[in-house]
Amino acid sequence: MTSPNKPLTLAVLGCGTLGTAILCGVLDALSTSTSIPSLAPTCFSALVTRKDSASRIQASITSLSLSTSVTIHTDSNVNGVANADMVLLGCKPYMVAHILSARGMSTALEGKLLISICAGVKTSDLQSLVPSTTRVVRVMPNTAAKLRESMTVISPSPQVTQSERDMVVWVFEQIGRTLVLDEKHMDTATALCGSGPAFFARESVMMAAQTMLGTAKMVLDGQHPAIIREQVSTPAGCTIAGLLTMEDGKVRSVIARTIQEATNVAGGLGRKK
């Protein structure tokens, strides 16, 4: 890691919806927070492949006071990573191997912190694609990050220092709540953001409640539930599998009948017996 006396740069490699939300949250915090970790980045590179993605990011950060600290690059992944001190990997899971195996990427990642928000991609998978000197943190936020209401689970590898852990937690606290767990719990957290039998009850309740809060806030802010569902439903992903299981169990019809029955009972509460 570069000397703390030098401004640290975070490269967001694959700056999609979540990457942009994280970037905006950190930029806001840097301009308003009085408690910033020593390893917190203050310069940023957003690395994308399409010009429309670059325009979307620019539109998202324009109103922020520190927007000038962000440089947006198209088709310049290796150079962007080489010039950064730490990297946030935010591409689609199926693209991870292709991106990390690009010519020159291994050298660019040497000695750096790699923070992955790619669902389902294990730390061991990432470490097999990067140099042994690259320290990996696996993180799973959710789409409510856009409203700073994410429930984010963080699993650092043993090589990650305490200062780096503190910095990662601080970054993701800018988009909601965080919980540091062993990676063995990550798949359950990814699927449900809590309620797995492997967790303590307190943690499960907090994760589930924060996930519900974030989703409810998105709906109240005008997003249709179907759109929210589509945003997190990657083909052949865990969300689709869970939704299909719910449909098989007729969960939707059970909920509808529950509301109908409660309505019928409520309608009769005021009647004389």
Side-chain angles (χ1 to χ4, degrees):
M1 185 69 71
T2 304
S3 168
N5 295 323
K6 176 185 177 294
L8 299 177
T9 297
L10 170 68
V12 185
L13 181 54
C15 194
T17 301
L18 280 176
T20 303
I22 295 164
L23 181 59
C24 291
V26 173
L27 288 172
D28 264 352
L30 289 173
S31 62
T32 59
S33 179
T34 57
S35 179
I36 300 174
S38 60
L39 294 183
T42 54
C43 298
F44 306 88
S45 296
L47 310 177
V48 293
T49 57
R50 302 194 311 271
K51 290 184 178 179
D52 62 321
S53 296
S55 299
R56 170 185 52 79
I57 297 167
Q58 187 61 57
S60 298
I61 66 174
T62 295
S63 63
L64 302 176
S65 61
L66 294 178
S67 61
T68 55
S69 64
V70 181
T71 305
I72 304 172
H73 301 278
T74 55
D75 290 321
S76 189
N77 287 349
V78 173
N79 286 338
V81 170
N83 292 320
D85 301 291
M86 59 195 81
V87 179
L88 175 69
L89 182 63
C91 63
K92 296 291 186 183
Y94 68 87
M95 299 171 64
V96 169
H98 174 73
I99 289 175
L100 295 183
S101 299
R103 179 178 295 180
M105 185 61 77
S106 181
T107 300
L109 282 167
E110 285 184 355
K112 293 176 181 175
L113 183 70
L114 177 65
I115 306 163
S116 169
I117 59 171
C118 302
V121 182
K122 294 179 168 54
T123 298
S124 58
D125 297 330
L126 293 165
Q127 289 179 325
S128 70
L129 295 166
V130 300
S132 59
T133 57
T134 302
R135 300 171 303 286
V136 175
V137 183
R138 185 180 173 191
V139 180
M140 194 62 248
N142 61 35
T143 190
K146 295 180 292 185
L147 300 175
R148 315 283 169 87
E149 292 291 355
S150 174
M151 181 65 246
T152 301
V153 179
I154 301 170
S155 296
S157 63
Q159 294 79 15
V160 177
T161 68
Q162 186 60 52
S163 294
E164 289 171 335
R165 291 183 184 209
D166 293 343
M167 181 274 295
V168 173
V169 169
W170 177 84
V171 165
F172 287 92
E173 283 179 343
Q174 310 317 312
I175 57 165
R177 301 186 69 166
T178 64
L179 188 63
V180 177
L181 291 174
D182 290 340
E183 189 179 16
K184 64 183 180 181
H185 301 310
M186 184 63 81
D187 287 341
T188 303
T190 299
L192 300 174
C193 275
S195 77
F199 304 139
F200 293 109
R202 177 179 59 84
E203 294 168 330
S204 298
V205 171
M206 186 269 283
M207 293 173 72
Q210 181 64 30
T211 301
M212 293 172 68
L213 173 63
T215 304
K217 190 168 182 180
M218 286 189 286
V219 173
L220 291 173
D221 278 6
Q223 294 191 54
H224 194 281
I227 300 298
I228 298 172
R229 182 188 65 211
E230 292 302 317
Q231 288 176 339
V232 298
S233 297
T234 303
C238 59
T239 302
I240 286 290
L243 288 171
L244 289 174
T245 301
M246 291 176 69
E247 289 296 329
D248 289 344
K250 297 182 173 57
V251 171
R252 181 159 34 184
S253 62
V254 169
I255 293 173
R257 291 199 305 273
T258 299
I259 295 172
Q260 182 61 55
E261 182 62 21
T263 301
N264 294 338
V265 172
L269 291 177
R271 296 174 186 168
K272 294 182 179 180
K273 295 183 178 180

